Amino acid sequence: MTTTTHPETSISADPALPTIHITREFDAPVDAVFRAHVDPDLVVKWLGPRSVTMRVDRWDASTGGAYRYVHTHGGEEYRFYGSFHEVRPSERIVQTFTFEGFPDGVALETLTFENLGGGRTRLHAVSVFETTEARDMAMASGMETGVVEGYEQLDELLAEA
């Protein structure tokens, strides 16, 4: 039996602000981690919980571009979309994020990719919601499972490369 350990994913919500902070380290170079976030052929292999399949309807990961994807689970579809406001290779992605089931809940997300040296990367993501209630709904939605399992799948994808 093989046991795989994954780095810890830190997810926190500031009680005073409508934000969620996610921090995760990867045993892969920053260029590879960044590419896995912008290449739709790679994104479909890791984004979301293990229990879903993903289809990309649109993906233009460039400054001014947009995306739309669908997660399918048990015959149900969950649609997400947004705009890429800034894409700086291997440094930073700023994008909006909307769950189509709650279209009034737009979040602004900033992902920062930090080269730790030795082929390691730290990813820090900050999501800013319009209200703390919207942030709390996101936290209660099961997003933690999707983030943790998604990053575990990303670990596996990066190890294959």
Side-chain angles (χ1 to χ4, degrees), residues 4 9 13 16 21 30 33 42 62 71 104 109 157 159:
T4 303
T9 301
H21 290 263
V30 69
V33 177
L42 298 177
S62 64
H71 277 156
D104 293 334
E109 300 180 331
L157 180 66

Side-chain angles (χ1 to χ4, degrees), residues 97-99 102-107 129-130 134:
F97 175 85
T98 302
F99 168 51
F102 188 63
D104 293 334
V106 179
F129 295 82
E130 294 179 51

Side-chain angles (χ1 to χ4, degrees), residues 76-93:
E76 296 284 324
E77 288 191 343
Y78 305 93
R79 295 173 183 84
F80 306 88
Y81 62 92
S83 299
F84 291 102
H85 290 264
E86 180 182 18
V87 178
R88 274 195 257 156
S90 300
E91 290 181 26
R92 171 179 158 108
I93 298 171

Side-chain angles (χ1 to χ4, degrees), residues 24-118:
R24 176 66 147 67
E25 292 185 7
F26 295 92
D27 291 321
V30 69
D31 291 345
V33 177
F34 180 84
R35 182 171 170 252
H37 282 78
V38 297
D39 182 335
D41 294 333
L42 298 177
V43 171
V44 298
K45 295 179 180 181
W46 70 266
L47 184 63
R50 293 182 185 277
S51 61
V52 302
T53 56
M54 182 175 170
R55 177 183 84 236
V56 172
D57 291 340
R58 177 175 47 183
W59 196 273
D60 176 7
S62 64
T63 298
Y67 69 89
R68 185 174 189 276
Y69 64 87
V70 180
H71 277 156
T72 304
H73 175 73
E76 296 284 324
E77 288 191 343
Y78 305 93
R79 295 173 183 84
F80 306 88
Y81 62 92
S83 299
F84 291 102
H85 290 264
E86 180 182 18
V87 178
R88 274 195 257 156
S90 300
E91 290 181 26
R92 171 179 158 108
I93 298 171
V94 179
Q95 64 189 36
T96 59
F97 175 85
T98 302
F99 168 51
E100 202 170 275
F102 188 63
D104 293 334
V106 179
L108 179 65
E109 300 180 331
T110 302
L111 287 72
T112 306
F113 299 81
E114 180 184 355
N115 184 344
L116 298 175

